[in-house]
Amino acid sequence: MSPSSLESQIAEHSVSEPSEMHDPETSGNLALSSSDFSALEDRVARTVQLVKSERQARAAAEQRADSLDTQLHEQLALVKSMQEEVRALNAERDQVRQRVERLLSQLDALEV
């Protein structure tokens, strides 16, 4: 609620009920309304502070999520590179094994 609309409501209230202003019961209600308003003001201030802290926490969480996402992509690229290297090493090992087997078979042929 904007301050100007609050002021207009207060003005309407005081204009519409001028006889109650001098009534002792009404002044007690006004004091209660004033304390209620102070309590509401405190609650609003706490709510604003809570919203600010939650926004900061959310921003920090989003920043951390972005950082972790970047790290994940870097790790995925590294894993892919290592998988390709393992495939290449396995292929090289198979070639070396075939060459050794061929050499061994040639040695066996010489002994016969």
Side-chain angles (χ1 to χ4, degrees):
M1 183 179 291
S2 69
S4 60
S5 64
L6 181 62
E7 290 171 359
S8 65
Q9 286 182 353
I10 291 171
E12 288 174 12
H13 180 68
S14 57
V15 169
S16 65
E17 301 169 1
S19 63
E20 293 180 5
M21 293 289 277
H22 301 292
D23 189 8
E25 288 182 22
T26 307
S27 64
N29 287 341
L30 280 178
L32 181 61
S33 294
S34 177
S35 66
D36 287 345
F37 184 75
S38 293
L40 178 62
E41 187 177 26
D42 291 341
R43 289 180 67 192
V44 168
R46 285 193 310 259
T47 302
V48 166
Q49 186 60 35
L50 178 64
V51 168
K52 283 180 182 179
S53 66
E54 290 300 319
R55 283 182 179 165
Q56 289 173 347
R58 181 178 178 172
E62 287 175 352
Q63 186 178 23
R64 187 165 189 265
D66 289 342
S67 173
L68 291 173
D69 191 46
T70 301
Q71 287 179 0
L72 176 64
H73 288 308
E74 290 171 357
Q75 293 296 320
L76 287 174
L78 182 61
V79 166
K80 185 177 178 181
S81 171
M82 292 179 134
Q83 286 174 335
E84 290 173 4
E85 185 177 349
V86 166
R87 281 189 206 108
L89 290 171
N90 283 336
E92 184 180 345
R93 182 190 65 197
D94 289 341
Q95 289 175 353
V96 169
R97 180 180 294 151
Q98 289 173 0
R99 289 174 65 190
V100 168
E101 286 175 358
R102 203 172 351 164
L103 289 172
L104 288 174
S105 67
Q106 288 175 357
L107 285 174
D108 283 344
L110 289 176
E111 292 179 5
V112 173

